[in-house]
Amino acid sequence: PLWNPYEMAGKPLLANFQSGVFYPINLILFLKPFYFSWSVFILLQQLLAGLFLYLYLKNFNLDKRAVFLGTIAFCFSGFFISWLEWGNILHTALWLPLILLSIDKIIFSKQSPKFWVAAFILSFSFSFFAGHLQTFFYIFIFSLLYLCVRLFNFEEKYKKLLIFIPSLFLIFVITLIQLIPTLQFISLSARNI
């Protein structure tokens, strides 16, 4: 996965962030024929985004109609429809509801939040590995702001911070496998100027 010989005279593949070499859902693209695997890959955007937002909205004990309407509005919003065929942009964005849900579950759950800590780490990492840095940056900033707001009025905020800080550090360590080659590729790029 280091080099793509099929485009012009060749170019780095792993270091190109948008290739999504480490994104697990990209394994679907190995299925043949390619048009089938690409169709499944694109359809998964709406399905996973809908599932994650449905779970997130159910977390607030909303009316079933509100949950359904919110899910449909999210999955078929202008953003989702306009970027539908690109793949990596929506695969980066679809993890946001699961990130927010895991933040809420870690903060407000009375039981051990081990499952939700794992969900937080994996959903953040998968969003990063999906391959669209700008969308991931927006998700990262929004998620941190959401975390701060949710912790603001919570009594045991410092105890919960002791869960989130190592989790964010672990996410950083996991994503270094993509981040280091990408930063090197950017520094060697003509766009660096």
Side-chain angles (χ1 to χ4, degrees), residues 55-110:
L55 294 172
Y56 175 65
L57 294 177
K58 287 291 283 182
N59 185 50
F60 292 109
N61 295 321
L62 299 172
D63 184 71
K64 290 179 184 179
R65 293 170 293 182
V67 171
F68 179 75
L69 181 62
T71 301
I72 295 299
F74 180 69
C75 292
F76 298 101
S77 65
F79 177 78
F80 266 75
I81 296 303
S82 63
W83 294 110
L84 182 66
E85 293 179 7
W86 285 75
N88 64 346
I89 296 173
L90 294 186
H91 272 278
T92 302
L94 68 83
W95 296 99
L96 178 62
L98 187 58
I99 293 169
L100 301 181
L101 176 62
S102 59
I103 288 171
D104 282 350
K105 291 289 188 180
I106 292 168
I107 293 174
F108 300 110
S109 179
K110 303 293 183 200

Side-chain angles (χ1 to χ4, degrees), residues 38-57:
W38 182 255
S39 299
V40 171
F41 183 75
I42 295 301
L43 287 172
L44 272 176
Q45 296 171 138
Q46 261 63 29
L47 293 174
L48 289 175
L51 173 66
F52 296 153
L53 192 74
Y54 176 82
L55 294 172
Y56 175 65
L57 294 177

Side-chain angles (χ1 to χ4, degrees), residues 1-13:
L2 297 176
W3 188 257
N4 175 8
Y6 303 109
E7 191 171 327
M8 299 183 163
K11 68 175 193 174
L13 181 65

